Amino acid sequence: MEKMRNLLAGCLRESANGYVVDTLIENYPNIGELMNATEKEISSIKGIGIVKAKQLKSILEFVRKVNTPDASKRIIIRSPKDVYELVRADMEFLEVEHFDVIGLSTKNHVIFKENISIGSLNASIVHPREAFKGLIRRSCAACILVHNHPSSDTSPSNEDILLTKKLVECGSIIGIEVLDHVIVGAAGGGYVSLKEQCKM
């Protein structure tokens, strides 16, 4: 929280313990909620005009991009942590569930990453056809499933486990191995690997 206060104070040239920063934190208690706020919502706070709101949004977007892995570098997935580092900047601050697929080569180089489903606050609907369409088109040897929990609770639900097993079975039939399913929590919530938990 102290880091967030200092970031906001520096961006807005306000006191870290002043009214403006206090009100921002009261309305947006974590950086994810603030990133998802619109310029209009931010500028409605007394002491923040549209100019400061634009500046703050620009800085937050810059922070997000800096924390996103460089797509030009060839990324190799060796562990669930590698998956987490690849997707965390995009997924930690989402307000609803997103389900992504990461396509891999025979040596686990990342070929592509794409979103295949956007759901509600606590669920996303995934069809095997959509999950494997891009993988087949790009001739991937394997894949990793990733989705976020907008809360900080990364525990897999029964639906998460059943879906994973269904996709593992489908992948086995078409020759694309599903290596893992990683669940990412909200900012600071970390991640869980269903493979490590033996729930695949």
Side-chain angles (χ1 to χ4, degrees):
M1 186 64 72
E2 192 64 29
K3 287 183 179 179
M4 184 171 172
R5 278 188 175 277
N6 292 333
L7 172 66
L8 294 175
C11 292
L12 300 171
R13 297 184 180 180
E14 297 280 348
S15 167
N17 296 305
Y19 169 81
V20 171
V21 173
D22 280 347
T23 306
L24 271 172
I25 290 176
E26 183 180 337
N27 289 347
Y28 309 104
N30 61 63
I31 198 74
E33 291 187 29
L34 186 56
M35 281 184 166
N36 288 317
T38 64
E39 289 177 6
K40 185 177 180 180
E41 289 170 335
I42 294 172
S43 65
S44 68
I45 293 173
K46 185 178 179 181
I48 303 179
I50 191 66
V51 173
K52 281 190 174 182
K54 284 180 179 292
Q55 289 173 341
L56 181 57
K57 288 293 289 182
S58 295
I59 291 169
L60 290 171
E61 179 61 18
F62 174 75
V63 169
R64 187 189 69 78
K65 287 182 177 179
V66 165
N67 284 288
T68 301
D70 186 350
S72 66
K73 295 180 181 178
R74 202 167 190 196
I75 300 169
I76 302 176
I77 300 297
R78 297 185 177 91
S79 68
K81 185 178 180 182
D82 290 339
V83 177
Y84 177 61
E85 293 299 332
L86 176 64
V87 304
R88 64 180 298 186
D90 292 326
M91 284 196 149
E92 280 189 328
F93 306 118
L94 297 172
E95 295 181 320
V96 296
E97 284 201 6
H98 284 57
F99 196 102
D100 290 5
V101 169
I102 301 171
L104 304 173
S105 70
T106 53
K107 295 185 178 180
N108 288 353
H109 289 108
V110 174
I111 297 174
F112 80 106
K113 176 175 75 73
E114 72 174 355
N115 174 259
I116 59 171
S117 175
I118 298 175
S120 61
L121 185 63
N122 58 7
S124 60
I125 299 172
V126 178
H127 193 284
R129 179 181 62 248
E130 299 304 319
F132 287 98
K133 183 167 64 176
L135 297 167
I136 294 169
R137 189 168 62 246
R138 294 174 176 86
S139 301
C140 295
C143 72
I144 293 174
L145 313 172
V146 191
H147 84 277
N148 68 301
H149 282 179
S151 69
S152 57
D153 181 7
T154 54
S155 304
S157 65
N158 289 333
E159 290 78 11
D160 292 336
I161 296 169
L162 289 173
L163 173 62
T164 303
K165 290 181 177 180
K166 182 178 181 180
L167 293 176
V168 167
E169 183 179 350
C170 291
S172 177
I173 292 170
I174 63 177
I176 298 177
E177 184 180 3
V178 178
L179 300 178
D180 201 349
H181 184 171
V182 176
I183 299 174
V184 177
Y191 67 94
V192 159
S193 159
L194 269 69
K195 183 175 183 179
E196 287 185 341
Q197 292 194 345
C198 300
K199 293 181 178 178
M200 292 182 61

